[in-house]
């Protein structure tokens, strides 16, 4: 197996994100399996939980060690080097979790492999070579090509391989038949991994282990947010967050066009539109308030906002988005043969 003497240090951003995720209620095992932060009053602190400063320092050290161990032992191979694979690769490299020199890629499109090569990623001449060099394989081909690609790789796959499929609509049951002994995890990320803000869902195959779950959650958690869901709901994840960025990009473009139509320059209008979407999303996530309540905060009586809201309602704005999600979900089900 390839090796590297490069010192691997995860970025502070990754460590902070991992600290946050590991300190959530999802990680509820008692010490020493989980190091707790004693944010609660002393009477409510778990037994064995020491001072906040001590635990924070100790917990941070353990997380850094976990991240470095993960970076040192995980070799990621991309089966397909398209836009989504590139977004994941760039995000993993930027986070410091899995650097580019521990990634491999294979694709029939030379222009796409050149992109990966420019990142510092090794290019494999075949998918079997990719399997030889990687212990985590990310299936990033078009759904229509998945069966042929994975079936041809099957002789090179073993129980030591974790196959992470991001191919929309392909159920774990089919993947397991095609991949043989490889362990399977399905993930539906979105293109926002490129900027470390993905919204993803994941489901585990029957042979996937808790360690596999932790690995995939940590990998994609370093790129944004990931939720474990029943596999039957992954098509809905596709409809909401997998396809959702396209809808939001269209909304930003339309807002900017409206600004230009109202007299703003294109660059100012685009900046205002994009920042407005970014800030609005942060308000939903950080305030924990319902979007409807936040909307009401902006709509003063007989004001400019309610005039625009009325126009959106008359044009079926919300219904259009709902139907777009349903259409994306349905298409995912069609791809899965449901």
């Amino acid at each position: 197996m390839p090796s590297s003497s490069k010192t691997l240090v995860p970025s502070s951003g990754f460590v902070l994100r991992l600290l946050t995720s590991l300190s959530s209620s999802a990680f509820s095992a008692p010490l020493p399996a989980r190091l707790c932060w004693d944010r609660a009053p002393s009477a409510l602190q778990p037994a064995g939980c020491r001072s906040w400063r001590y635990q924070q320092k100790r917990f941070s050290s353990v997380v850094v060690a976990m991240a470095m161990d993960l970076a040192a032992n995980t070799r990621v191979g991309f089966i397909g080097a398209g836009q989504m694979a590139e977004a994941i690769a760039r995000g993993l490299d930027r986070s410091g979790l899995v650097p580019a020199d521990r990634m491999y890629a294979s694709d029939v499109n030379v222009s796409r492999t050149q992109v990966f090569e420019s990142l510092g990623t090794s290019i494999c001449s075949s998918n079997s070579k990719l399997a030889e060099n990687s212990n985590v394989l990310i299936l990033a081909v078009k759904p229509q090509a998945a069966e042929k690609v994975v079936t041809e790789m099957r002789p090179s796959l073993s129980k030591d391989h974790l196959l992470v499929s991001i191919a929309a609509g392909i159920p774990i049951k089919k993947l397991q038949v095609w991949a043989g002994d490889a362990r399977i995890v399905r993930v539906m990320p979105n293109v926002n991994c490129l900027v470390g803000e993905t919204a993803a869902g994941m489901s585990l195959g029957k042979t996937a282990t808790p360690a596999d779950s932790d690995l995939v959650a940590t990998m994609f958690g370093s790129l944004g947010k990931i939720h474990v869901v029943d596999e039957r709901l992954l098509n809905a994840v596709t409809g909401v967050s997998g396809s959702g960025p396209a809808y939001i990009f269209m909304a930003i473009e339309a807002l900017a066009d409206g600004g230009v139509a109202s007299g703003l320059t294109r660059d100012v209008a685009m900046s205002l539109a994009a920042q407005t979407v970014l800030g609005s999303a942060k308000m939903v996530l950080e305030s924990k308030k319902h979007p409807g309540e936040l909307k009401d905060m902006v709509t003063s009586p007989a004001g400019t906002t309610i005039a625009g809201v009325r126009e959106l309602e008359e044009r079926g704005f919300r219904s259009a988005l709902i139907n777009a999600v349903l259409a994306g979900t349905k298409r995912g089900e069609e791809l899965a043969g449901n």
Side-chain angles (χ1 to χ4, degrees):
M1 294 295 181
S3 62
S4 172
S5 59
K6 180 179 178 181
T7 301
L8 303 174
V9 180
S11 68
S12 58
F14 163 68
V15 172
L16 179 59
R17 194 188 296 277
L18 191 56
L19 279 168
T20 302
S21 66
L22 291 182
S23 62
S24 70
S25 59
F27 291 79
S28 56
L31 290 172
R34 172 182 177 265
L35 298 174
C36 60
W37 287 7
D38 51 343
R39 297 172 178 173
S42 57
L44 300 178
Q45 292 174 11
C49 204
R50 303 187 187 180
S51 72
W52 182 87
R53 291 180 187 276
Y54 174 84
Q55 284 297 338
Q56 184 182 35
K57 182 177 179 181
R58 185 181 173 208
F59 193 52
S60 298
S61 299
V62 171
V63 171
V64 171
M66 287 171 59
M68 294 186 70
D69 181 67
L70 187 61
N73 292 289
T74 300
R75 300 175 307 282
V76 178
F78 290 90
I79 308 168
Q83 296 288 340
M84 183 63 79
E86 179 189 350
I88 296 171
R90 287 184 183 276
L92 288 173
D93 183 55
R94 183 183 296 110
S95 73
L97 179 59
V98 183
D101 61 7
R102 288 189 179 273
M103 297 185 208
Y104 305 84
S106 176
D107 198 297
V108 295
N109 188 330
V110 176
S111 65
R112 292 306 306 168
T113 57
Q114 287 175 342
V115 171
F116 270 70
E117 206 165 17
S118 71
L119 301 177
T121 299
S122 298
I123 304 304
C124 295
S125 58
S126 67
N127 288 332
S128 60
K129 290 289 185 184
L130 193 72
E132 288 178 14
N133 286 286
S134 311
N135 54 6
V136 177
L137 294 162
I138 297 182
L139 181 63
V141 299
K142 298 292 185 184
Q144 298 87 339
E147 181 176 7
K148 181 176 185 295
V149 169
V150 178
T151 301
E152 289 177 352
M153 285 187 71
R154 181 170 177 166
S156 303
L157 299 176
S158 72
K159 62 182 181 181
D160 295 325
H161 287 102
L162 174 62
L163 181 65
V164 180
S165 173
I166 63 170
I170 309 299
I172 291 172
K173 181 170 62 176
K174 286 186 178 180
L175 290 166
Q176 196 70 72
V177 171
W178 303 340
D181 293 332
R183 307 179 321 274
I184 308 292
V185 174
R186 270 188 73 190
V187 176
M188 187 61 241
N190 64 21
V191 74
N192 296 343
C193 348
L194 188 57
V195 292
E197 294 294 347
T198 195
M202 64 178 279
S203 298
L204 306 179
K206 289 183 178 180
T207 60
T209 66
D212 293 332
S213 177
D214 291 344
L215 173 62
V216 175
T218 301
M219 286 175 59
F220 284 89
S222 74
L223 307 175
K225 294 187 177 181
I226 186 164
H227 301 269
V228 179
V229 299
D230 290 340
E231 187 185 15
R232 64 184 178 82
L233 296 175
L234 277 182
N235 290 322
V237 172
T238 300
V240 175
S241 58
S243 303
Y247 314 150
I248 302 304
F249 296 149
M250 292 174 68
I252 292 172
E253 181 185 31
L255 284 171
D257 284 346
V260 172
S262 299
L264 295 173
T265 61
R266 171 64 62 181
D267 59 336
V268 170
M270 189 65 72
S271 177
L272 288 172
Q275 184 64 29
T276 296
V277 170
L278 175 63
S280 299
K282 288 188 71 174
M283 285 192 71
V284 171
L285 292 172
E286 294 179 8
S287 73
K288 308 299 183 185
K289 293 182 179 179
H290 190 279
E293 183 180 355
L294 294 173
K295 178 208 69 179
D296 290 346
M297 289 169 53
V298 189
T299 51
S300 56
T304 58
T305 303
I306 193 63
V309 168
R310 178 185 174 184
E311 187 69 19
L312 290 174
E313 294 288 10
E314 288 182 348
R315 305 276 179 171
F317 176 71
R318 286 194 285 190
S319 293
L321 285 176
I322 291 170
N323 288 331
V325 171
L326 292 174
T329 301
K330 181 180 179 181
R331 181 54 181 156
E333 292 170 349
E334 291 171 351
L335 290 171
N338 294 343

